[in-house]
Amino acid sequence: MPIKRSGGKALDSSLLDLVIQTAPDAIITIDDAAAILSFSPAAERMFGYSEDELLGQNVSILMAEPHRSSHDHYMARYFKTGERRIIGIGREVRALRRSGETFVAELAVGELNRDGQHIFTGFIRDVSDRVEAERRAARLQRMLDRVSRIQALGEMSTALAHEINQPLSAISSFSRATARILAQTPPDTETARDQLGRIAHEAQRAGKILQRMRKLVERGKSDFRPEDLNSLVREAVALCRIGPDYSGFRVQYDLADDLPKVNVDRVQIQQVIVNLVRNAAEAVADDLDGDVHIATDLTHPTETLTVRAGRMLGDEVMVTIGDAGPGIPPEIVNKLFDPFVTTKERGLGIGLAVCRTIIESHGGRIWADTNTQGGADFHFALPSAES
Ligand code: ADP
């Protein structure tokens, strides 16, 4: 039955009471001495006190330090200056349950001035789950950043070893030459000095190469740039071949050529593609006689392993990596992207969680479904750089 508007005060207050009793957020009112006037049922559940216990108590009992000790001072300052630091603004605060546990809460404060008496209303929402999820995601992201840099380092180590070998052999031959020059009578000190200068220069070059390696493994910030997704896909698939377990498959590319650029951290998106392609390769490993099919035609039938890239509605670019393996095990479908979910004997279950963290930090989406061949299709969509 629709609630009728009424000018009647009695109905107003019972309506208000209904709102307070049923609101999912905790609602607390205090007077100008910070004494609690009312404490809603949601507040009772959130803080673990009953209303009776708290009526008349100073509201700072619900706050964690440093706000607990400073709250009276905050109120005095407000009455003195009229400056609003929280009223009508809202902020995240650390609140304190009866059990002593603290939690992050969103607090919004309203003020009512009735016959010269101030009444403050606090609306409090427990956001600790969200904050914890954000913290976990940030931790995973940092870990991934490091993992992908270390992995990149591993992949580059052969090239770097080669690079560092050059200054080292130069140093060695310059040293031998210098020794010969100094053994002459009389020694050609001018040329020897010149050779020593070259040795110093080569040693510095080797040092710079090492510095570059170190920078690579240091935790770095994400480096977002407009990138061509097709070339990212090609490079990532090439990276997949590194390592003896994955070197055997053949790849057929079929990438759409009209794709807009995407604003991404190259290393991170390649990490996603590497993870998905390796998973797909593992899924088809039993009946795969060395064939991986990479295409961008969205209607192309999946053969063994397909990587597709195409434009979606709404300015998104989508990449699909599909395979004709056994499909996603039904028992993990709902938690596929959660950390530590694995059905592999030696799996870590971190790959897809990392993929999700990366894609979401790029403002994109990642999901999986079953294709017509009963294998798995993993898709991710990223906003185009134009959007
Ligand atoms: P891991 O590979 O270490 O198990 P992932 O997070 O990469 O960790 O994958 C989690 C699980 O998802 C795998 O153990 C597997 O059961 C399932 N999975 C991932 N990719 C595929 C795929 N292409 N086909 C079937 N199942 C897959």
Side-chain angles (χ1 to χ4, degrees), residues 279-280 283 323 327 329 332 336 341-344 347-352 376 378:
N279 274 345
D323 63 68
I332 59 163
L336 195 56
V341 170
T342 183
T343 56
K344 297 174 192 166
L348 286 175
I350 196 88
L352 291 178
F378 281 83

Side-chain angles (χ1 to χ4, degrees), residues 5-6 8 11 15 41 54 56 101 122 133 155 164-165 177 184 204 218 256 259 271 276 281 288 364:
R5 270 177 173 274
S6 158
L11 185 54
L15 250 182
L54 285 190
E101 183 198 353
E155 279 146 13
I164 221 159
N165 218 17
Q184 288 167 3
Q204 276 167 6
E218 274 169 8
L259 294 183
Q271 184 74 38
L276 296 180
L288 177 76

Side-chain angles (χ1 to χ4, degrees), residues 19 54 70 96 120 195 202 204 220 238 247 270 296:
V19 170
L54 285 190
S70 311
L96 182 65
F120 298 96
Q195 292 289 88
E202 291 298 323
Q204 276 167 6
S247 54
Q270 286 188 336
T296 52

